[in-house]
Every structure is written in C-alpha cells, then in structure tokens.
Amino acid sequence: MTDDHLTRVLERLDAWLEENAPTDYAALNPPAAQGDISKIGEYLIDLHPDVVTWLKRHDGAAATTGPSRAGFLLPGGYAPNAAKEMDAGQRDMERKVAWSLDEEDDGEIHWFTVEDGHELDIVGDGTTVYSTEDLGLVPAPTTCHIRWVPFASSTESGHDLIVDHRRGATYGAVRRIEPDAVDPSAVVWPSVTAMFTSLVEALETARPVTVGTVVYVPRVLDGALDWEIVR
C-alpha cells in the first residue's frame, strides 16, 4: 500500500473523529516538525514511510487521563506518541539493550548494531564487531530492541505498541509489548497502514475489530473513543 492510501485513511479518521468524537479530534496534535521526525533513530534507523506519513499529519495526541480519556484512539487504550516521545523511547531501548548485554562494564561497549538476518547476538562499538560469544554476553530481553520505535503507549496497562524496523518479513509491523504475555512482543498488525485502516473501518461501520486475540467494539463516551472488549 502507498503513502497516498494511508493519507486517505487518515483523512477519513479525522473526519469521523471530528463528527463523532470531538474530544479525541481536539486531542490530535498538529504535524510534527521535520527536525523532530529526522531525529528518531538517527544514524541507526531509516524511519518507515508509514510512521513519517502519520507524523506529518499528527504529532501524536495530547492524551489526558481525566474522565474522557481523550487521545487514546487505538484499541486497547493506546495513545499515539509524539515524534520526540518516539525518539526518546527508541533511545531508551538502546540503553536497555546495552545494560542487558553488558552489565559488568557499561563503558566498554558504546554502540550496538544488529547484523542483517540476526537478532541481538551481534554487538559492536561502531567500528569493531564482536559476537556475544567473544564477550560472554547474554541476549537482550524480547521486549526491547534497538530497531523498535515506540508508536503508542497505554497509561492504563503501561504497555506499548512499537513499529518494527528490523529488516525482514516483519519490517514495518506493529507489535504489542507485554512483558508478562506468552508472546511478549506479538505482531498485532502487519503495518501502521493496516492498523489505521482496520481502525477506520471499525469506526465507520460500528463493527468489531480484532487485535491479536482480543475483539473490541468502538463506542464513544463523553466525546472520546472507548474500545469495549467483547471477546
């Protein structure tokens, strides 16, 4: 699917929210500054076009935790992050990966890279590449990766939706990060475009939407979306 397709889907989302969920519509931020978009995963990630298209339309949502819970647009109570939050979240994952791989001497390894076709078993300082066997390191947790960009967050569950930027079949996929789940980083949508398309179609038709194994029905309370779990 093209960037134009996602743009049309987002136009439909804006129109529906403006008419039916004005509190959520008001919570949407204006477009992100290009400088803020460019900083996300700087020197490490070529930001997926879907993420760029979204940020050029809305720099996330100004979510509030009051009675209306405005801005929590996505099923499961997730609010889209601003570009600066995506950048901070990705860099935080870099630090967590570093800590998990090198707890004894975090000054020895300054930068971590992922070799194509591998998970987190190749690390380096930006010049020399080492294997975990060479360094006696342990794998990083499956809830964290230096090529994952946190796209949306839930204040209720404390979980995140991330966009996978690893090369391969899941490039651009949306994963739900739940440390205590059977699959703590399960793919719930194949892309950001697919996520917003399913969202808009559910809103326009009042039909359920399935996210992973959970089925939600959209409803509006106090001018904001509330996704009811029905199965």
Side-chain angles (χ1 to χ4, degrees), residues 116-140:
D116 288 353
H118 292 73
E119 297 296 324
L120 288 170
D121 59 349
I122 303 294
V123 298
D125 59 8
T127 303
T128 308
V129 175
Y130 305 93
S131 70
T132 53
E133 289 76 14
D134 293 334
L135 298 171
L137 305 177
V138 295

Side-chain angles (χ1 to χ4, degrees), residues 44-45 90 114 145-149 163-167:
L44 180 66
I45 292 172
Q90 186 273 327
V114 181
H145 197 288
I146 60 176
R147 293 186 188 271
W148 285 355
V149 174
V163 178
D164 196 340
H165 281 74
R166 293 175 296 178
R167 298 176 183 87

